[in-house]
Amino acid sequence: MQIIQTVVVKQILTEKSRQQLFDNYHERNLQLQKECDQLQFELKRVEKTKTFSSGALKTHFEKEIQMRKEKTKLLEFQIDQLHILPLGSELKEKEVQALVEINIGDKWDERLGQPVIIIKDGIIEDIR
């Protein structure tokens, strides 16, 4: 019988992966800033037309802008932490699903321990 099991994928921090993560965080940060600017522009445009209830609409726009600003703060924190982390640190990248074969007589605890895949610069280093 086969079952689906969650496998954690971790990345070993190298100079190359650090730079890729930094570029990714920076790009997402810029995208969030563009979205904030666009929302502020749309809010001003809608306020000038005065065809909608300005109180509820303004609250909605401000909520969306605030959400993006919080995401920006989180990204800035992650960038700061990225510079602090020593090379060789293992970072949880994501989780994937895997099929696992189980049979009668298998030890349950051994078969279903949390497997981990270790990646270094895009190459699988280890499977634990």
Side-chain angles (χ1 to χ4, degrees):
M1 169 186 234
Q2 292 183 334
I3 60 172
I4 298 174
Q5 182 177 29
T6 302
V7 179
V8 175
V9 178
K10 291 185 177 182
Q11 176 177 301
I12 296 176
L13 188 65
T14 63
E15 281 297 331
K16 182 179 174 182
S17 63
R18 180 180 288 179
Q19 187 60 45
Q20 287 174 340
L21 285 169
F22 176 77
D23 292 343
N24 186 6
Y25 291 156
H26 185 69
E27 187 176 311
R28 286 177 29 207
N29 201 357
L30 289 175
Q31 179 63 34
L32 287 169
Q33 185 59 45
K34 286 179 187 177
E35 289 176 14
C36 281
D37 293 343
Q38 183 66 31
L39 285 167
Q40 289 173 341
F41 173 78
E42 290 294 326
L43 175 61
K44 288 179 184 176
R45 187 178 64 81
V46 170
E47 284 178 339
K48 287 182 182 178
T49 61
K50 297 184 182 182
T51 57
F52 296 102
S53 161
S54 64
L57 191 61
K58 184 173 182 175
T59 303
H60 178 71
F61 272 100
E62 288 173 349
K63 181 181 169 187
E64 290 294 322
I65 291 168
Q66 187 60 35
M67 270 184 11
R68 283 161 178 80
K69 286 184 179 183
E70 288 174 14
K71 288 180 183 178
T72 299
K73 287 179 185 177
L74 177 62
L75 281 171
E76 289 170 358
F77 175 74
Q78 288 175 320
I79 289 171
D80 291 340
Q81 293 301 305
L82 185 61
H83 291 300
I84 294 171
L85 281 173
L87 295 177
S89 298
E90 291 182 1
L91 304 172
K92 180 178 176 181
E93 187 172 308
K94 59 184 165 186
E95 292 182 353
V96 295
Q97 302 294 317
L99 286 176
V100 176
E101 182 73 31
I102 59 170
N103 298 300
I104 295 173
D106 288 348
K107 292 189 177 183
W108 182 255
D109 294 337
E110 290 176 10
R111 296 297 294 164
L112 293 182
Q114 182 74 355
V116 178
I117 298 173
I118 306 296
I119 297 176
K120 183 175 182 179
D121 291 332
I123 299 172
I124 297 173
E125 280 279 312
D126 191 14
I127 299 175
R128 303 179 193 155

